[in-house]
Amino acid sequence: MTESECVECGGTVTLHDDLEIGEIVDCETCGAELEVVDVSPPVLDRAPELEEDWGE
Amino acid sequence: MKIGLLYSRIRKDEKLLLSELRERDHEVAKIDVRKQRFGLTETTAEIADCDVVIDRCLATSRSLYATRFLSAYGVPVINSPETAAVCADKVKNSLALEAAGVPTPATEVAFTTEAAMEAIEDFGYPCVIKPVVGSWGRLMAKIDSENAAEAILEHKATLGHYEHKVFYVQEYVDKPGRDIRVLACDGEPVAAMTRSSEHWLTNAAKGGQTADFELDDEAKDLVATASDAVGGGLLGVDLMETKDGEYTVHEVNHTVEFKALNEASEVDVPAAVVDWLELKAEVAADEAVMTA
Ligand SMILES: [Zn+2]
């Protein structure tokens, strides 16, 4: 387990070890969707918005 | 093997695929579609030497164009741009199912609110109106009355995008509180589950309850035919049971999520998908040798 900071609320986000660039994680404090942009050390950014034409 | 994974978000589904691929010692090229450029003859995407690329883009437009480019460069891609084009559009999807003789709900398309209103009145209440693109049940509406119909048509008519000016009206299937989702590889079912909900939209994304489901021969046949009808590939086939104990196929999805299915089913879904991907890559490699 490792930690990073939520860009939305500044809260601590706990992350799994098998973190993957491009992965989406949720901030448990504010509920924001965050994207993993780097893994060592982990860096989080706001996840891209869901767009109109997204989905299965 | 070198397997490319084209993505814009790594969800649980993509993570499952990636870990299965790495466990089998495949070389994996993770391709973030947002960072790529696609020229007429070349691309920045890491596709060189890929035996196969699997498209996991969520956005329909990205999926349609990126697979079209990869295919033009001669890179085997799953799903094919042809399959993506049929599955991404509910009208093409419905027409393909109908042409293949797959039972599918009665559907009409109209281009003005007046014509749509006539279609709705002919279907009677309740009936269903859906956007021609999009998913997870978003912007879908069950229409219970003339008042509701007028309000929904009015809303859609004032929404910006031209696709909202295509009114896709469908009969309401009075299913027994659940629908069936099948994951299939070229028509061969990998796993199936039911999704149940009090609400008429039973998508797993909408919080329905899921359970493992055993397909009978009739359902298996329908899955195979529906898959062929849209051009084959790694597909999610959505079936419903009708009151008469028959099946009707609502649609076939080409960027299929399988996380919920993997949890609901005994089957190791990512392993089955990767088995099939390996097979597709081998076939593509053999074909390349033969045409060389
Ligand atoms: Zn936060």
Side-chain angles (χ1 to χ4, degrees):
Chain A
M1 300 285 248
T2 154
E3 288 182 343
S4 187
E5 191 174 288
C6 174
V7 287
E8 207 68 60
C9 71
T12 302
V13 185
T14 310
L15 300 161
H16 290 282
D17 292 329
D18 64 339
L19 211 58
E20 190 86 53
I21 288 181
E23 188 175 345
I24 303 298
V25 293
D26 292 326
C27 171
E28 285 192 13
T29 312
C30 72
E33 275 198 321
L34 305 166
E35 178 180 0
V36 178
V37 291
D38 207 345
V39 286
S40 52
V43 179
L44 303 173
D45 199 355
R46 281 181 191 84
E49 290 288 316
L50 281 168
E51 290 170 43
E52 260 307 293
D53 69 339
W54 276 29
E56 63 164 7
Chain B
M1 273 176 190
K2 184 175 172 186
I3 298 180
L5 185 126
L6 200 62
Y7 73 96
S8 42
R9 281 183 161 211
I10 302 288
R11 299 164 295 168
K12 187 75 198 292
D13 308 81
E14 286 71 40
K15 271 198 98 158
L16 288 168
L17 270 184
L18 286 169
S19 63
E20 184 67 31
L21 288 167
R22 286 175 186 145
E23 257 170 48
R24 298 191 191 193
D25 289 327
H26 291 302
E27 189 186 340
V28 179
K30 267 173 68 184
I31 307 166
D32 182 344
V33 76
R34 294 168 298 179
K35 296 183 177 152
Q36 312 306 328
R37 289 152 48 198
F38 296 90
L40 299 181
T41 56
E42 57 184 356
T43 175
T44 54
E46 191 196 335
I47 53 164
D49 310 325
C50 276
D51 294 291
V52 68
V53 172
I54 179 159
D55 164 38
R56 298 293 305 173
C57 293
L58 278 103
T60 307
S61 50
R62 291 173 185 175
S63 203
L64 286 176
Y65 290 115
T67 56
R68 189 67 75 181
F69 277 111
L70 293 190
S71 178
Y73 306 145
V75 179
V77 59
I78 285 166
N79 285 314
S80 72
E82 292 78 18
T83 294
V86 175
C87 293
D89 183 312
K90 284 206 172 58
V91 174
K92 291 177 188 166
N93 210 314
S94 295
L95 283 171
L97 292 173
E98 182 67 32
V102 176
T104 192
T107 301
E108 283 190 17
V109 166
F111 303 114
T112 61
T113 51
E114 294 76 19
M117 197 65 208
E118 281 176 29
I120 290 167
E121 293 279 327
D122 277 353
F123 275 117
Y125 301 101
C127 65
V128 174
I129 190 158
K130 299 179 181 178
V132 284
V133 293
S135 64
W136 296 316
R138 278 172 302 131
L139 301 178
M140 285 175 39
K142 179 180 163 198
I143 301 178
D144 290 310
S145 69
E146 192 180 342
N147 283 343
E150 281 167 356
I152 286 160
L153 293 178
E154 177 72 34
H155 271 120
K156 279 177 68 73
T158 51
L159 285 174
H161 201 273
Y162 80 90
E163 272 150 345
H164 291 297
K165 312 261 190 296
V166 179
F167 301 98
Y168 178 101
V169 185
Q170 198 164 60
E171 76 173 298
Y172 177 74
V173 175
D174 195 7
K175 64 193 176 188
R178 65 179 194 185
D179 56 23
I180 303 162
R181 157 51 69 91
V182 186
L183 181 85
C185 291
D186 280 338
E188 186 69 41
V190 168
M193 68 177 185
T194 54
R195 300 180 290 195
S196 314
S197 166
E198 295 293 304
H199 194 262
W200 72 285
L201 285 175
T202 48
N203 299 36
K206 290 260 174 193
Q209 294 286 314
T210 60
D212 200 2
F213 184 73
E214 183 99 25
L215 296 171
D216 60 22
D217 288 343
E218 191 195 342
K220 284 181 191 160
D221 282 350
L222 281 181
V223 168
T225 314
S227 169
D228 281 352
V230 301
L234 173 62
L235 299 167
V237 181
D238 287 342
L239 297 99
M240 282 183 188
E241 299 146 295
T242 65
K243 276 251 159 88
D244 326 318
E246 308 277 318
Y247 293 104
T248 182
V249 178
H250 271 71
E251 63 177 295
V252 183
N253 298 286
H254 75 294
T255 46
V256 57
E257 293 171 12
F258 48 79
K259 176 180 56 112
L261 192 57
N262 194 48
E263 283 160 14
S265 156
E266 303 269 294
V267 180
D268 185 340
V269 175
V273 170
V274 171
D275 284 344
W276 176 77
L277 272 181
E278 289 170 343
L279 203 71
K280 295 298 275 188
E282 275 169 31
V283 171
D286 288 348
E287 278 170 6
V289 169
M290 277 170 38
T291 54

